[in-house]
Amino acid sequence: MKLINIETNMAEFDGLKNQTEFMTYFRNENMMNPQKYFIETWGCQMNEHDSENLSGMFDLMGFIRTDLKENADVVLYNTCAVREKAEMKVFGNLGHLKNLKGRKPDLKIIVSGCMPEEDVTIEKFKKEYKFIDLVIGTHSYQKFPQLLKEAYLNDRTKYDINNKEDIIIEHLPANRDYNVKAFVNIMHGCNNFCTYCIVPYTRGRERSRKPEDIINEINELVNNGVKEVTLLGQNVNSYGRTEKFDVDFADLLELVNNIEGLERIRFMTSHPKDMTFKLIDYVNKLDKVCEFMHIPVQAGSNNLLRRMNRNYTVESYMEKIEYAKKNVKGLTLSTDIIVGFPGETDEDVDSLIDLFNYVKYDNVFTFIYSKRKGTPANDYEDQIDNHIKKERFNKILEVSNNIAKENSLQYMGKTVEVLVEGPSKNTEGVLTGKTRGFKTVNFEGEKDNIGKLVNVEITVCNSFSLFGKIIK
Ligand code: SAH
Ligand code: SF4
Ligand code: F3S
């Protein structure tokens, strides 16, 4: 779906103020023989959404999107820095692009996202990746047309990084890939400085969008057929704190809940330390807010939580979980875990498993600790050996998978409400969607069900997905 197409008046986007001249340049250049662009995105939903904005700007400038890198005149990699593995993938892909550029010297290469916000990466780019045309950090997207023009007209790599302006850009165009559900950023950045995490350094300080800007965006999405929104922030529970809004996150949920035509509301991520009982009550009270919460616990012992600078204890976490389980009917939960954090002991892993057995998450995203330069934990001396990390990872995975399977089996024979998102990627004639509790459900059905809420009776329960038949 294109919310904003090429015919839209560019001046409408105050986010692109002063960029009209550069956009007009590309529109003229692309008039007769439009250049093709390819975008690949790594990382979290924030990055996914930034890619939608970058793509929206390419569209406005007359470029045409291609899904084939080999056909592209300009390739953009929107990168993630959260773990080393994510970065290695990008470096590997850049190596391939170097070869492609060897064959196609006019190819333009752009790297955006969180990797350009790290000094070590920039040093590496400057030494070994001189063939990149534009490196653009997360705080500079509103200048994208201008930077792109400079990159096109110069032989040397253009850098726009370390831009410390923690601003919020409203009204950037967006080319969204789907039409049933959409991500909406409600805030940017993070103030928490967990000792393992690079995000506060790559995304800057926490800042929240005004409630009216969020509501206007969601109204526009709903007018374009969107049925479900996910409100995004690194810590949605502290929404509006820096700005001292008189609307807190629970109040914002209520405002969004009042939007007519919207069917479902989700949100992520909830930091446990800022989660309020009021929020839990609102999740229960507001009919469109789904009974699903992603609440990263990261570790199962107070010693590790303290060393991670998470600012809550196992006990205070559990108090909130118990309240939520008691008060939100049909609640499902998921979490993030870091395994192999410096100083982690076998006992820490055992207490994490105890916590799993109590909370019974539907989904656990387990990440092996990865050292990040510039973060405090990078310099902790008691780093864990790789083979121990792997052993613990496998142990945790086995326990969490068994719990997920156990949870899944409870759906057998039950009828669930599914918001139909589209055709399944794997099987012809099969549609896919999600329950309110965020379980994937596949079923045979006609395409005219897409975008609708349907009832499905469950006949097969896999750990992370269900299969069933539609009930008329
Ligand atoms: N703001 C969110 C998470 C953002 S990053 C929150 O606080 O919950 C997503 C996940 O990546 C984190 O929850 C954490 O589990 C993981 N992560 C972050 N830094 C990491 C690192 N250095 N090594 C391994 N996993 C990491
Ligand atoms: Fe990273 Fe912690 Fe902020 Fe989440 S809350 S983005 S883990 S620093
Ligand atoms: Fe990665 Fe940046 Fe998101 S580091 S997880 S893309 S905020």
Side-chain angles (χ1 to χ4, degrees):
M1 174 183 61
K2 288 219 168 86
L3 286 182
I4 288 133
N5 66 36
I6 187 92
E7 300 308 326
T8 317
N9 178 5
M10 290 189 283
E12 205 179 293
F13 305 111
D14 47 347
L16 288 178
K17 249 183 225 154
N18 312 323
Q19 295 294 308
T20 317
E21 174 197 335
F22 311 103
M23 296 179 61
T24 310
Y25 167 83
F26 280 112
R27 278 177 73 138
N28 290 337
E29 289 285 304
N30 283 325
M31 193 90 81
M32 299 304 284
N33 190 10
Q35 297 221 349
K36 296 193 191 71
Y37 72 95
F38 171 91
I39 294 191
E40 187 156 352
T41 310
W42 287 269
C44 62
Q45 287 92 345
M46 310 273 166
N47 251 18
E48 297 281 346
H49 188 53
D50 289 341
S51 287
E52 290 173 350
N53 289 141
L54 289 161
S55 174
M57 286 187 264
F58 268 127
D59 290 355
L60 273 181
M61 293 188 284
F63 289 83
I64 291 179
R65 188 164 185 161
T66 172
D67 291 333
L68 267 182
K69 205 184 300 184
E70 289 68 26
N71 288 348
D73 302 296
V74 41
V75 171
L76 185 150
Y77 285 157
N78 196 6
T79 64
C80 170
V82 82
R83 282 173 292 273
E84 193 185 5
K85 218 169 163 186
E87 296 197 334
M88 293 321 289
K89 279 191 196 147
V90 173
F91 284 123
N93 274 272
L94 281 170
H96 292 138
L97 274 193
K98 188 179 183 185
N99 295 337
L100 192 61
K101 195 160 175 157
R103 280 179 271 133
K104 251 175 106 169
D106 288 339
L107 178 72
K108 296 288 171 208
I109 300 172
I110 307 171
V111 178
S112 65
C114 289
M115 280 173 70
E117 298 289 344
E118 290 176 298
D119 294 344
V120 272
T121 307
I122 293 301
E123 271 169 42
K124 199 161 166 172
F125 282 171
K126 286 192 172 157
K127 268 204 214 120
E128 300 167 42
Y129 293 83
K130 292 186 181 139
F131 56 91
I132 301 174
D133 296 282
L134 170 63
V135 178
I136 173 170
T138 54
H139 291 61
S140 304
Y141 296 144
Q142 73 286 2
K143 286 192 283 172
F144 180 55
Q146 177 179 355
L147 297 170
L148 190 63
K149 184 174 173 199
E150 286 172 27
Y152 263 79
L153 300 183
N154 278 306
D155 287 339
R156 299 183 59 164
T157 311
K158 168 82 195 160
Y159 287 91
D160 197 295
I161 48 174
N162 277 327
N163 174 357
K164 292 290 175 238
E165 262 181 288
D166 280 339
I167 46 172
I168 297 182
I169 309 294
E170 291 295 340
H171 305 141
L172 281 184
N175 176 353
R176 298 184 190 252
D177 279 344
Y178 36 77
N179 52 18
V180 179
K181 53 181 195 169
F183 293 124
V184 176
N185 277 337
I186 62 166
M187 56 211 292
H188 301 269
C190 182
N191 285 352
N192 290 314
F193 292 94
C194 302
T195 53
Y196 50 80
C197 185
I198 196 81
V199 172
Y201 308 91
T202 64
R203 293 273 166 177
R205 293 293 60 73
E206 182 181 290
R207 54 221 185 266
S208 298
R209 291 177 68 196
K210 290 191 194 113
E212 58 269 31
D213 288 331
I214 297 168
I215 300 299
N216 288 343
E217 181 178 344
I218 300 176
N219 270 318
E220 193 186 334
L221 289 167
V222 171
N223 288 337
N224 280 279
V226 165
K227 296 284 189 324
E228 175 182 305
V229 289
T230 304
L231 309 181
L232 290 181
Q234 296 297 352
N235 177 9
V236 290
N237 296 339
S238 63
Y239 171 78
R241 183 181 292 166
T242 310
E243 293 73 12
K244 302 196 170 58
F245 289 157
D246 49 13
V247 170
D248 69 9
F249 181 57
D251 301 326
L252 180 71
L253 280 181
E254 186 158 40
L255 293 174
V256 179
N257 198 68
N258 291 337
I259 294 178
E260 228 168 276
L262 184 66
E263 302 278 3
R264 287 178 173 185
I265 303 164
R266 301 188 190 278
F267 54 89
M268 71 191 307
T269 296
S270 279
H271 195 302
K273 81 177 160 66
D274 296 311
M275 184 156 199
T276 59
F277 293 104
K278 173 180 171 187
L279 172 69
I280 298 171
D281 291 340
Y282 275 44
V283 171
N284 186 46
K285 176 179 99 169
L286 302 172
D287 60 326
K288 293 175 189 169
V289 177
C290 293
E291 298 75 23
F292 163 76
M293 286 195 266
H294 180 67
I295 319 179
V297 65
Q298 310 295 2
S301 75
N302 289 341
N303 183 34
L304 284 184
L305 289 174
R306 191 177 41 75
R307 286 171 56 105
M308 289 177 168
N309 191 32
R310 291 290 288 178
N311 284 303
Y312 53 86
T313 59
V314 172
E315 292 73 24
S316 65
Y317 181 88
M318 288 307 294
E319 192 190 356
K320 289 175 186 175
I321 295 283
E322 272 178 38
Y323 185 84
K325 275 177 172 278
K326 206 166 103 202
N327 290 288
V328 183
K329 254 215 312 294
L331 179 71
T332 58
L333 295 162
S334 67
T335 200
D336 289 349
I337 297 297
I338 294 181
V339 60
F341 186 78
E344 182 189 73
T345 61
D346 285 331
E347 289 71 41
D348 291 327
V349 176
D350 289 342
S351 34
L352 182 65
I353 288 172
D354 287 345
L355 188 141
F356 281 3
N357 283 325
Y358 186 83
V359 181
K360 298 213 179 286
Y361 298 105
D362 262 20
N363 219 334
V364 176
F365 298 89
T366 308
F367 304 106
I368 293 185
Y369 171 68
S370 169
K371 285 175 86 176
R372 304 283 71 202
K373 273 234 165 66
T375 63
N378 184 62
D379 303 325
Y380 288 1
E381 279 173 6
D382 39 6
Q383 302 285 334
I384 306 290
D385 281 353
N386 274 341
H387 77 276
I388 298 183
K389 282 184 182 170
K390 289 247 168 66
E391 260 171 36
R392 291 179 179 166
F393 176 86
N394 290 338
K395 186 169 172 184
I396 286 171
L397 199 68
E398 197 187 331
V399 177
S400 59
N401 282 352
N402 285 341
I403 294 173
K405 177 87 194 163
E406 210 180 286
N407 286 352
S408 227
L409 284 172
Q410 294 175 7
Y411 288 92
M412 186 59 102
K414 297 221 169 97
T415 298
V416 291
E417 182 199 85
V418 177
L419 177 61
V420 189
E421 290 171 12
S424 150
K425 285 199 184 100
N426 306 323
T427 328
E428 188 76 10
V430 172
L431 298 175
T432 188
K434 290 257 187 314
T435 64
R436 287 176 69 93
F438 211 52
K439 267 258 182 276
T440 300
V441 179
N442 299 312
F443 59 97
E444 282 171 10
E446 299 299 325
K447 288 208 168 122
D448 61 359
N449 287 307
I450 296 171
K452 292 186 184 149
L453 289 169
V454 299
N455 289 320
V456 177
E457 189 185 311
I458 301 305
T459 53
V460 180
C461 301
N462 302 315
S463 299
F464 300 104
S465 70
L466 305 168
F467 191 90
K469 60 174 191 289
I470 189 165
I471 311 271
K472 290 284 169 201

